[in-house]
Amino acid sequence: MSHSLRTPSRRGILAAGGALGLTAVLAACGDEKKDKSGGSGSGTKDGGPWSFKDDRGKTAKTDATPANIVAFTGVAAALYDYGVEVKGVFGPTKTKDGKPDVQAGDMDISKVTILGNAWDQFNIEKYVGLQPDVLISTMFDDKGTLWYVPEQSKDKVLGLAPSVGISVYDRQMTKPLERILALAESLGADVKSDKVVTAKKRFEAAAERLRKAAKSRPEIKVLVGSASADIFYVSGSDLSADLEYFKALGVNIVEPPEKAKKASGGWFQNLSWENVDTYKADVIMMDNRTSALQPADLAKQKPTWGKLPAVKAGQVVPRVTEPIFSYAKCAPILEDLAKAIEKAKKVA
C-alpha cells in the first residue's frame, strides 16, 4: 500500500475496514519492489549475541537473544505458535467484549501488555516500562513502514529498541511464512520439532488440495470483499500475500480493473451498496476482521447483499485478511477455500 492517502482518507478506510482494509491505509504509491534481504538471523540459547536481517535490509542486533519482545499482534500470534512468547503487543488484540481478537490467535491475551488496541494507539510509557529488546511488525508497503507503529511517534518508538520488519507486501504468503519461521528460529524456537514439521506438511498438503480444487473447478469465480456501512470493497489479487498465492495456485479470483483500484493504490475497488452486484461470483470471501461488517450484520442491514447469487446459495466464507503467518494458522485458510470451491454450485 502506499502513501498518497491523506490522514482523513486513511481514517475513513480504517473505519470501513476496507478489502485489504486497514492495510489499504499504507498503500498508494505503487512501486512493486521485491525483498531487499532474504537474510536470516542468528542467536544463541546460552545468551550470546543475536542479530536478524529484516526485509528492509536492516540488521537488528542485541547482546543476547531478545527476552523482552514487543510485536504487532499478528506477528506475536505467529511467534507464539512456534513457542516464542512476547511481553507486549500492539494492534487489534481484544474485542469490545474483552475476548481475543481474531488476529491474536492462540495467545493468552491476559498475559501480554497491550500497548495499543487500535490504529494510532501506542502507549510509549508502557513500552519503555517493558524494557524492550526488540520491536517486530509487518510491512504493507515497500517504504519500510512498520504496521501499526503510529506515524507521529514512530521516531521516538523506533529509537528505544532495535526493530524488525517482515514484508507482507506484493509477495505470495509462502515468503512471510518462511521469514517468520527464520525469525522464530533466531529467537530460540525449535523449528525441527514434530509440531512445526507437522504443521508445515499440513500447509503443503493444503496448498496441493487448493491447486487441485482450482484446476478441477476453473469455472468457480471467487470474489474477495469487505464491508462497511457505506461501501463494499472488492479486492484484486495484486499486492495481498494471501490472494497472490491463491491466484498462483489457480483460483479464479474476480479482478476489478486497475483504473477502478487507483484510489486505493491498487488494492481494491470501492462500490456503493446499490452497485454491489457489479461482479458475478459463485463464492464470496468476506473480511473477517473486527473492523469490517460481518455477513450476519449485512443480512439485517443491506437488502442488496441478500440478493447476490452466492449469498442466496450460502456460498459465503470468511477471508482471513491479515493472516497469522505460521504454518499452523495458514494451512486451514487454504483448506477452507479448497473446500468452498470443491462444494460450490455454479450460481453466477
Side-chain angles (χ1 to χ4, degrees):
M1 314 187 221
S2 80
H3 293 297
S4 52
L5 299 176
R6 295 186 179 276
T7 304
S9 307
R10 289 182 175 186
R11 285 179 182 155
I13 289 172
L14 288 170
L20 194 78
L22 298 178
T23 50
V25 175
L26 300 177
C29 296
D31 281 357
E32 297 182 1
K33 295 175 185 172
K34 302 296 179 183
D35 272 82
K36 294 176 187 172
S37 88
S40 55
S42 63
T44 57
K45 290 178 183 176
D46 58 4
W50 172 88
S51 68
F52 187 85
K53 186 178 182 183
D54 76 358
D55 293 340
R56 299 170 297 182
K58 295 182 178 180
T59 300
K61 295 180 181 179
T62 57
D63 292 337
T65 302
N68 296 342
I69 302 167
V70 172
F72 171 69
T73 303
V75 174
L79 292 174
Y80 183 88
D81 286 349
Y82 293 123
V84 177
E85 297 192 28
V86 307
K87 294 290 176 70
V89 294
F90 54 96
T93 306
K94 185 188 289 188
T95 60
K96 288 175 184 174
D97 58 5
K99 294 178 180 175
D101 189 275
V102 291
Q103 295 190 63
D106 294 330
M107 286 191 299
D108 182 345
I109 63 172
S110 70
K111 292 184 177 176
V112 294
T113 299
I114 300 174
L115 304 176
N117 199 54
W119 186 255
D120 262 352
Q121 290 181 2
F122 193 105
N123 189 314
I124 295 177
E125 289 73 24
K126 280 187 180 179
Y127 181 56
V128 171
L130 290 174
Q131 297 182 299
D133 295 320
V134 66
L135 178 144
I136 308 166
S137 191
T138 47
M139 299 184 298
F140 283 94
D141 64 11
D142 58 1
K143 313 298 178 192
T145 309
L146 296 181
W147 194 224
Y148 268 79
V149 175
E151 185 70 21
Q152 69 273 17
S153 58
K154 70 175 184 180
D155 291 342
K156 188 168 186 181
V157 170
L158 299 181
L160 292 166
S163 61
V164 169
I166 300 295
S167 180
V168 296
Y169 173 75
D170 192 21
R171 66 209 55 220
Q172 294 176 26
M173 79 169 15
T174 46
K175 188 63 181 177
L177 276 167
E178 291 166 5
R179 298 293 286 137
I180 293 281
L181 184 70
L183 176 60
E185 183 176 23
S186 80
L187 293 168
D190 180 4
V191 299
K192 293 183 174 62
S193 69
D194 288 345
K195 181 182 175 184
V196 175
V197 170
T198 299
K200 192 172 183 188
K201 283 181 180 174
R202 180 182 172 186
F203 176 85
E204 289 164 352
E208 188 54 33
R209 179 181 174 184
L210 181 54
R211 191 193 305 276
K212 285 180 179 174
K215 189 175 182 180
S216 66
R217 304 294 309 278
E219 76 280 9
I220 298 299
K221 291 185 176 181
V222 178
L223 183 145
V224 183
S226 183
S228 73
D230 302 316
I231 299 171
F232 185 76
Y233 305 85
V234 180
S235 273
S237 64
D238 294 339
L239 308 183
S240 303
D242 60 336
L243 305 187
E244 285 200 9
Y245 191 48
F246 299 162
K247 186 177 182 181
L249 292 172
V251 176
N252 184 359
I253 295 174
V254 171
E255 302 281 2
E258 288 304 314
K259 216 180 262 188
K261 297 186 293 180
K262 192 174 181 183
S264 71
W267 293 90
F268 53 79
Q269 178 182 7
N270 298 354
L271 294 177
S272 67
W273 281 103
E274 290 74 25
N275 296 316
V276 74
D277 61 351
T278 296
Y279 300 105
K280 306 302 180 191
D282 304 290
V283 173
I284 299 176
M285 299 184 77
M286 288 297 288
D287 187 347
N288 76 332
R289 292 172 303 173
T290 49
S291 56
L293 285 176
Q294 297 304 305
D297 304 314
L298 297 175
K300 299 171 194 169
Q301 298 175 26
K302 304 294 178 185
T304 50
W305 167 256
K307 294 176 183 175
L308 296 175
V311 176
K312 283 183 180 177
Q315 296 177 173
V316 178
V317 297
R319 178 200 177 191
V320 184
T321 307
E322 287 188 60
I324 293 168
F325 285 103
S326 71
Y327 289 103
K329 291 294 184 295
C330 287
I333 293 173
L334 304 185
E335 291 165 352
D336 290 347
L337 180 54
K339 184 179 179 182
I341 292 172
E342 289 161 359
K343 291 171 56 182
K345 295 172 187 169
K346 181 68 185 167
V347 295

